[in-house]
Amino acid sequence: MWIPVHIDENRPEPLYHQVEVQLRSLILSGQLAEGTLLPSIREFAADLRCSAITVRRVYQDLENEGLLRTRQGTGTFVAGIDQSARDEFRLVRVVEAFERAVETGLQLQCSREEMERIWREAYDRKRAEADGEKGGQR
């Protein structure tokens, strides 16, 4: 199974983090349904052109979070997550990201108005990108 995860070696985030964030998003958004069999560690690493250690770490981290489950000899599957847990988990992640962004803005002495403007512009830009990708554009 092909998983739409892409890594960029030019980004400052470690490769495992890039993969983990994208895979978590695919699971929590429902794009990867409960019970979906994920590629083996070696297969996914080959697809991503990265180390099997990287993929193993991602699978272990997401299993520790309860998003994946591994059955010995069968493979790694997307775990069942009820909607309330999915919503809570999703919102907690967004709040954490906003808090980091606000902290950065405050450290750089941005005003509330500047930060709100930056948020609106970033939201509009990312929404347009996402809509473009859904429309088959890349």
Side-chain angles (χ1 to χ4, degrees), residues 65-82:
E65 290 178 25
L67 298 177
L68 297 178
R69 68 181 193 284
T70 301
R71 282 189 252 156
Q72 193 66 29
T74 307
T76 301
F77 299 84
V78 175
I81 306 166
D82 68 28

Side-chain angles (χ1 to χ4, degrees), residues 5-72:
V5 171
H6 306 283
I7 56 177
D8 181 353
E9 294 180 4
N10 295 318
R11 292 185 58 129
E13 300 91 2
L15 297 182
Y16 83 88
H17 180 74
Q18 293 180 44
V19 175
E20 187 173 306
V21 166
Q22 293 176 65
L23 191 53
R24 181 183 296 111
S25 176
L26 291 168
I27 294 167
L28 292 175
S29 69
Q31 294 177 55
L32 289 177
E34 176 182 350
T36 300
L37 174 63
L38 297 181
S40 71
I41 290 171
R42 287 184 186 148
E43 181 183 356
F44 200 19
D47 289 346
L48 294 172
R49 294 185 176 92
C50 71
S51 166
I53 295 169
T54 298
V55 175
R56 181 178 294 117
R57 178 173 179 179
V58 169
Y59 280 14
Q60 287 174 340
D61 287 353
L62 295 179
E63 189 167 8
N64 290 339
E65 290 178 25
L67 298 177
L68 297 178
R69 68 181 193 284
T70 301
R71 282 189 252 156
Q72 193 66 29

Side-chain angles (χ1 to χ4, degrees), residues 45-124:
D47 289 346
L48 294 172
R49 294 185 176 92
C50 71
S51 166
I53 295 169
T54 298
V55 175
R56 181 178 294 117
R57 178 173 179 179
V58 169
Y59 280 14
Q60 287 174 340
D61 287 353
L62 295 179
E63 189 167 8
N64 290 339
E65 290 178 25
L67 298 177
L68 297 178
R69 68 181 193 284
T70 301
R71 282 189 252 156
Q72 193 66 29
T74 307
T76 301
F77 299 84
V78 175
I81 306 166
D82 68 28
Q83 191 59 46
S84 63
R86 185 183 302 268
D87 290 343
E88 180 181 345
F89 192 85
R90 185 175 54 91
L91 293 176
V92 164
R93 293 291 182 199
V94 172
V95 167
E96 290 172 351
F98 279 149
E99 287 177 346
R100 285 191 302 273
V102 168
E103 184 177 306
T104 300
L106 292 174
Q107 288 172 349
L108 298 173
Q109 300 178 347
C110 290
S111 69
R112 179 184 180 123
E113 293 77 20
E114 287 174 310
M115 290 169 52
E116 288 174 351
R117 178 182 50 78
I118 291 166
W119 180 86
R120 280 191 301 277
E121 290 171 358
Y123 180 87
D124 291 344

